[in-house]
Amino acid sequence: MRQTRVVVVGSANMDLVGTAPALPRPGETLLGTGFVMVPGGKGANQAIAAARAGASCAFLGAIGSDAFGVTLRARIAAAGVDTDQLRTTYGMSGVALVMVNAEGENAILVTPGANASMTHLTEPELAAVRSADVLLAQLEIPVGTVTRAAVAARAAGSRVVLNAAPAVPVPPELLAATDLLVVNETEAQALTGRGRDDPSALLDLVPRAVLTLGAQGAWYGDRDGTAVHVPAVKVDVVDSTATGDAFTAALAVAWGEGRDLVDAVRWAAAAGAACARRLGASSALPSRAEIEELYTPA
């Protein structure tokens, strides 16, 4: 099997993750049970996840000139991701404050930092986009930049996978350049107003879509008439922070390798489950072997 090339354009943050029996309510202070500091951001997470899942992966994003930026670059590169086009901008890196309770549920506050500087793409960055088998993008950097990347990838014959997260307005030009849309219930509701009640409404926007449903698995549909529910893989959940990123990256890798998309969703579900077994974001992303351990073909 030829190694697929995935290019990820998106955010990079330093995640400051604290655990406690419960999430604090407004005005409440709780004693935590643990703390870790790990690279995060949906872009960096998905780049690392794609590399661990077996892709040749390049990451386009921005980090700050602070100590967090130095650590982010080193950790992303150490995961096997090509960081040649990862920018360093003066100022602070993106930071995410993550709180996780005993059930693995989380609450997250993100300060964009350097991610907000991604207001354009350079010619070398566009060349990287055009080299992709699959372009994978999210919406934690300015949406105009994501749109330009998607349009350039589509023009070059690359597949475009858009994880429309967080839930922000998505311009028609970006949707028109998207081959496969991945959203959760909140994001689907924002896009269509119908969410779980009518996931097929996503197909009014894009030719193929996946709706992730947490512990209930995922729905996949396309304009050829396919509509399939893929159940979640059952594991003991420690932290759900990066499960969506593991799922989306594995989906992009599997599709790029030539798997049928329904089977690719099954493989992605195994990746999300494997990720949920460990604490943290990038530190929890599974290897290809860990995905295969939990994957069950139809």
Side-chain angles (χ1 to χ4, degrees), residues 83-107:
T83 58
D84 285 352
Q85 299 301 323
L86 177 58
R87 303 181 193 176
T88 299
T89 63
Y90 181 77
M92 65 170 285
S93 299
V95 174
L97 307 177
V98 184
M99 296 178 290
V100 183
N101 69 13
E103 286 73 45
E105 298 173 325
N106 60 69

Side-chain angles (χ1 to χ4, degrees), residues 18-147:
T19 57
L23 298 177
R25 295 168 294 187
E28 181 181 20
T29 299
L30 295 177
L31 288 177
T33 55
F35 174 79
V36 293
M37 185 174 74
V38 293
K42 297 192 76 64
N45 285 346
Q46 291 180 18
I48 292 170
R52 289 183 179 167
S56 167
C57 185
F59 177 49
L60 311 182
I63 54 176
S65 56
D66 55 2
F68 285 164
V70 174
T71 302
L72 283 168
R73 182 180 292 277
R75 297 273 188 91
I76 295 168
V81 176
D82 177 355
T83 58
D84 285 352
Q85 299 301 323
L86 177 58
R87 303 181 193 176
T88 299
T89 63
Y90 181 77
M92 65 170 285
S93 299
V95 174
L97 307 177
V98 184
M99 296 178 290
V100 183
N101 69 13
E103 286 73 45
E105 298 173 325
N106 60 69
I108 306 173
L109 172 66
V110 178
T111 302
N115 296 302
S117 71
M118 287 286 291
T119 57
H120 68 286
L121 292 173
T122 66
E123 281 306 315
E125 288 167 343
L126 286 169
V129 164
R130 296 184 186 106
S131 74
D133 294 315
V134 181
L135 176 75
L136 177 55
Q138 321 78 33
L139 300 176
E140 288 185 337
I141 62 172
V143 70
T145 304
V146 177
T147 301

